[in-house]
Amino acid sequence: MAAPLAWPSSAAVLGRTCGRWLFTGAAGGVLVLILLPLIFVVWLSFFRQEIPSFPPDGYSLRWFRAIWTNPKFADGFAMSLQVAVVAMLAGLLLGVPAALCIARFRFAGREVLNNLLLLPIVVPGIVLGTAIYVFHVELQGFFSEVTILGSIGGLVAGHILLVIPWSVRLVTASLAGFDRSVEEAALSLGATPVRAFFRITLPIIRPGIVASALFGFVVSFGNLEMTLFLVGAGRTTLPIAILQYLEWKIDPTIAAVSVVQIALIGTAMAITNRFVRLSRVV
Amino acid sequence: MARLALQQLSKQFASNIAVRDVTLDVGDGEFIVLLGPSGCGKTTTLRMIAGFVTPSSGTVRLDDRDITNLPPWKRNAGMVFQSYALFPHLTVAENVAFGLEMRRSTADIPSRVAEALRMVRLGGLEGRLPRQLSGGQQQRVALARALVIRPDVLLLDEPLSNLDAKLRETVRVEIRELQRQLGITTVMVTHDQEEALMMADRLVVMSNGEVRQVGTQRELYERPADRFVAMFVGRSNSLSGKIVGPGRFETAGGLRIACHEGAIGPAVLALRPERLALGAMAADCVNRLPGTVEFVSYLGASIDLHVRISPTDRVVVCQPNRADVRLPVEGDRIEVGWPADAAMVFAQETAPVPN
C-alpha cells in the first residue's frame, strides 16, 4: 500500500516562497550592481557641463561631437577596428579547421590540443601581454633587421591569440548536434568529400561561424590589458586612448566614447546571440 | 538495376569482429531485408554496400563490377537513412535535385525532380524546408532523393523506425509497391521482424556478425535453420532437455515427448504457439500433456493461453478467437497436444537467443 500523499505544510510553502523571493532579490541586486555604472556612464555622456556634478545643468550632445574632433579617439577607433577585423578573419581561418578536427577526429593529444586552444581565455591578459612582450624582445634580438617589438604585426598576432579560443568554442558548439549521416547522404548522392563540405557542411554550421566572427571581433576590439604591452610608440587602440585621456581629464567625453564602444559591442553581441545562444558557450 | 553480390564480406573493428563472412546474392529487382537484433552487424553490412565502411576482407560486386574499394560517391547507390538526413538548409526540390547536380546530369533536372516528388506524392511541397514537413513527408523526400538518381541499388537503413505505428503500416506498403513498380534492387536493414516479413522477397537473419539463415518468410518460419532463427522469426515455445533415443525427447522437467529425428544429447524443442491444440482438439495428437491454464491474454483475433505442463515448463498456446468455443479461464485443467512434426528440434548451442 502506498502511503497517502501528505499536503505540504504551510510552513514549508512559506519557506519556499521566501526562498524564491530571496533568490529573485539577490539576482536583481547583482544585476543592478552590474548595470548601475553603465547607466551612469550613459547618463553622464549627455551632461552639458564639463565637470560632472549632480544634478546636471542641462543636456547636450557636444561630448559626442568632441570624440571626432579629438584625433586620439578617432585614430584609436580606426586602429581598433583594423586590428579587430584582421584578427577576426585570421582567427576564423585557424579556428574553424581546428574546431572541425577536434569535433570530427579521435586522435592522440586531442584533449590536450583542445585545452591548449582555450588557454588564452584562462591566462590573465596582463600575464599574456607580458609573456608576449618578453617573447618579442627575445625575438627582436635574433632578427635585428625586422621590427617586431611594437609592430602592428606583433599586435595583430597577439589579438589573433585572443580570438582563436572563441572561434574554436563557438564552431565546436555548432558542430555538436551535427548529424553525420547528412554528409554521408551527400556522398552517396555523388558528391566528393570536398563538394559535400562546401555545399552541405559549411552552410549548416554557418551560424556558428558568423557568431564566432562577431564574438572574436568584440573580444579583440575591447581588449586593453594585453594590448598595452604590444602597441608601439604613437600608436593607440580605442581602449588605450580612453585610458590615456582619463589620466589628464575627466569630462563627459570619456563617457561619450564609452557609450559608442558599448553600443558597438552590444550590437555585435546581440547579433551573435541570434546565431548561437551565448549562454551555451561562455 | 543490377544484381548485387557479397562474397565472404568481413569487417573487424580493433578486436571486435562486426561482420563475419557474409555471402549473399541479391537478384535484379529483389527486395532483401537484413534482420537481426541490434549489434548483429546488419547495419555495418549495409554500410559496406554503401561504401561508408571499408571491408576487412571479401568483395562487393554490382553486376560484373567489383566495387569493394570504390568510394561512396562513385557507387550509384541510393540510400535512405534512419534520420532521413535531409539537407536542412535546402528546400525539398533542392534536396531531391542534389544528386542530379552532383552527377552533372544532362537530363532536365526540374522535370526529373517533379517526377520523383510526384512518385512519392509530395507534389506542391517543392519550396518547403525539411523542418516545415512532418516526419512522414520527410521520409518521402529522403526516398525521392535516393530514387531520382536512378540508383543501381536502393539501401534502406531502418527507414520506418522514426514513424508512428499507424503511418508505418501504410508507408511499408507504399515503399514496397514503389520498389516493385521501379524494379529496383533493394537492401533494407531492420530489427522489426513484422516489418521484415511484410516487405521482403527474402530475408537474411543475422546475429553476432554472422548470417544465420537466408530464405523466404515461409522457409524461415517453417524450417528455421537453428534455434536463434526459430526464436527470432515469429514466436516459439522453447523446451530444453535432451534427446534420449530415436524420436524421443525428455524435458528438464521430466516430460516425455515424441518428436522427429535429432542427435542424442542436449537439445531444445521449439513449438509454434498456433500449432498447439487444446482439449478435444488435441485428441488425435501424438503428444498429449495435461496442464493448468495460468494466464489468458485476449488479443482480439486470437487468444494466448499460458499453460503449465510441468513444474519447470510452461507453453503459450495461441487459439483463433471463435464465437462458438468456450474460452478456458485461469485455473482450468486442460490437455495440450501437438503432432510430432510440429516440434522443431535443435542441438543445444551457446549463441545468445533473443527474448
Side-chain angles (χ1 to χ4, degrees):
Chain A
M1 282 319 258
L5 277 172
W7 287 105
S9 71
S10 54
V13 172
L14 193 71
R16 215 173 305 138
T17 312
C18 282
R20 202 173 304 132
W21 275 104
L22 247 139
F23 176 77
T24 313
V30 170
L31 200 64
V32 167
L33 273 177
I34 292 171
L35 287 180
L36 212 55
L38 290 180
I39 292 165
F40 271 96
V41 164
V42 175
W43 191 19
L44 206 66
S45 69
F46 294 103
F47 281 19
R48 193 193 295 151
Q49 76 269 33
E50 197 162 323
I51 309 294
S53 65
F54 292 91
D57 298 345
Y59 295 97
S60 113
L61 289 173
R62 59 185 280 212
W63 306 115
F64 284 92
R65 265 192 310 273
I67 302 173
W68 308 111
T69 52
N70 183 331
K72 281 223 154 195
F73 286 136
D75 290 353
F77 185 82
M79 172 63 74
S80 281
L81 203 63
Q82 286 169 34
V83 170
V85 167
V86 175
M88 168 192 98
L89 292 176
L92 278 185
L93 281 175
L94 296 167
V96 173
L100 278 166
C101 287
I102 288 169
R104 288 297 167 78
F105 304 117
R106 300 279 167 269
F107 51 89
R110 175 174 164 273
E111 264 314 298
V112 177
L113 182 68
N114 195 16
N115 290 328
L116 207 64
L117 288 172
L118 300 183
L119 212 54
I121 300 181
V122 185
V123 178
I126 294 281
V127 176
L128 200 60
T130 319
I132 296 174
Y133 180 73
V134 171
F135 174 65
H136 283 181
V137 170
E138 294 280 324
L139 218 56
Q140 193 68 78
F142 282 106
F143 307 100
S144 47
E145 63 280 6
V146 284
T147 324
I148 295 168
L149 210 54
S151 69
I152 185 92
L155 178 64
V156 170
H159 276 245
I160 292 172
L161 211 58
L162 291 177
V163 173
I164 285 175
W166 295 106
S167 60
V168 170
R169 278 182 90 164
L170 283 150
V171 176
T172 311
S174 69
L175 279 168
F178 192 92
D179 179 7
R180 289 299 297 277
S181 59
V182 172
E183 277 173 355
E184 290 179 343
L187 297 180
S188 77
L189 290 167
T192 60
V194 174
R195 295 189 85 186
F197 178 77
F198 284 103
R199 286 287 308 270
I200 303 301
T201 313
L202 208 55
I204 294 174
I205 63 169
R206 186 181 293 139
I209 292 174
V210 172
S212 75
L214 288 165
F215 207 79
F217 176 85
V218 167
V219 167
S220 163
F221 193 86
N223 182 269
L224 171 68
E225 311 95 293
M226 187 198 74
T227 313
L228 277 173
F229 291 87
L230 304 180
V231 284
R235 213 179 268 140
T236 54
T237 64
L238 188 59
I240 292 179
I242 293 173
L243 188 72
Q244 286 172 343
Y245 190 84
L246 269 176
E247 286 175 25
W248 304 103
K249 267 177 151 177
I250 12 170
D251 64 31
T253 313
I254 219 71
V257 175
S258 304
V259 169
V260 171
Q261 198 181 353
I262 290 168
L264 193 72
I265 290 177
T267 312
M269 295 277 254
I271 299 172
T272 308
N273 198 42
R274 283 190 62 86
F275 288 108
V276 175
R277 310 284 312 159
L278 285 177
S279 52
R280 258 175 47 199
V281 277
V282 181
Chain B
M1 311 306 115
R3 277 174 297 108
L4 176 72
L6 312 182
Q7 267 150 25
Q8 300 200 297
L9 208 57
S10 296
K11 180 62 189 179
Q12 188 163 4
F13 293 109
S15 61
N16 167 34
I17 298 173
V19 172
R20 194 197 308 258
D21 277 343
V22 170
T23 298
L24 179 68
D25 281 299
V26 186
D28 192 1
E30 192 176 21
F31 196 121
I32 285 278
V33 173
L34 306 182
L35 175 67
S38 60
C40 72
K42 58 191 191 296
T43 299
T44 307
T45 305
L46 192 79
R47 291 173 65 79
M48 284 195 276
I49 301 172
F52 299 130
V53 172
T54 312
S56 307
S57 63
T59 57
V60 181
R61 302 179 72 86
L62 209 51
D63 284 335
D64 296 319
R65 288 183 297 143
D66 183 342
I67 61 164
T68 315
N69 296 309
L70 222 52
W73 57 94
K74 291 185 180 164
R75 289 202 178 194
N76 202 33
M79 181 139 171
V80 175
F81 294 81
Q82 186 172 10
S83 62
Y84 313 141
L86 298 180
F87 308 131
H89 58 299
L90 300 182
T91 63
V92 167
E94 287 166 341
N95 263 279
V96 177
F98 187 84
L100 296 174
E101 281 168 31
M102 290 302 119
R103 265 145 238 268
R104 299 196 176 82
S105 106
T106 49
D108 182 16
I109 292 181
S111 74
R112 276 181 69 178
V113 168
E115 183 203 327
L117 286 173
R118 203 169 40 243
M119 209 158 59
V120 297
R121 299 191 291 107
L122 274 182
L125 297 181
E126 289 82 358
R128 299 268 190 98
L129 287 172
R131 64 168 175 274
Q132 297 168 317
L133 301 178
S134 70
Q137 290 170 330
Q138 291 183 20
Q139 207 265 354
R140 284 152 196 244
V141 176
L143 194 62
R145 186 178 68 175
L147 289 172
V148 77
I149 59 172
R150 295 184 185 149
D152 291 323
V153 57
L154 178 66
L155 305 174
L156 308 171
D157 183 9
E158 306 247 6
L160 306 176
S161 60
N162 286 335
L163 300 177
D164 63 60
K166 268 272 181 280
L167 193 56
R168 210 178 296 167
E169 290 212 3
T170 45
V171 176
R172 274 176 196 162
V173 177
E174 280 178 9
I175 290 182
R176 188 66 172 110
E177 282 178 345
L178 201 57
Q179 183 268 342
R180 263 197 201 141
Q181 180 193 323
L182 298 172
I184 186 167
T185 310
T186 303
V187 180
M188 180 171 95
V189 156
T190 184
H191 64 269
D192 181 337
Q193 58 143 314
E194 196 189 331
E195 188 173 301
L197 292 170
M198 241 178 108
M199 296 177 79
D201 286 321
R202 280 191 304 150
L203 300 101
V204 179
V205 180
M206 293 182 72
S207 97
N208 288 333
E210 288 181 78
V211 171
R212 305 301 286 255
Q213 190 172 2
V214 182
T216 63
Q217 286 81 339
R218 188 161 192 178
E219 284 163 359
L220 295 185
Y221 194 79
E222 292 177 9
R223 291 190 300 283
D226 59 24
R227 184 171 165 231
F228 178 87
V229 178
M231 296 295 146
F232 197 76
V233 179
R235 297 188 300 166
S236 284
N237 290 298
S238 119
L239 302 174
S240 46
K242 54 182 185 286
I243 302 267
V244 291
R248 283 188 295 125
F249 181 87
E250 197 174 307
T251 71
L255 300 173
R256 283 155 196 276
I257 294 165
C259 64
H260 274 188
E261 79 295 353
I264 289 176
V268 171
L269 205 72
L271 291 162
R272 298 290 184 195
E274 74 280 3
R275 295 289 311 265
L276 301 184
L278 282 176
M281 308 288 286
D284 301 335
C285 296
V286 180
N287 295 300
R288 282 193 307 278
L289 299 165
T292 311
V293 177
E294 287 192 339
F295 188 76
V296 179
S297 298
Y298 185 92
L299 301 170
S302 65
I303 292 136
D304 275 0
L305 299 135
H306 298 243
V307 182
R308 181 157 302 283
I309 51 175
S310 91
T312 53
D313 300 303
R314 189 161 95 162
V315 291
V316 177
V317 182
C318 180
Q319 294 273 290
N321 187 6
R322 285 208 303 266
D324 54 341
V325 177
R326 188 194 78 93
L327 288 180
V329 294
E330 283 160 30
D332 279 4
R333 302 279 307 164
I334 200 162
E335 198 163 56
V336 182
W338 64 89
D341 67 353
M344 304 174 282
V345 183
F346 303 108
Q348 190 72 266
E349 56 175 321
T350 48
V353 160
N355 299 320

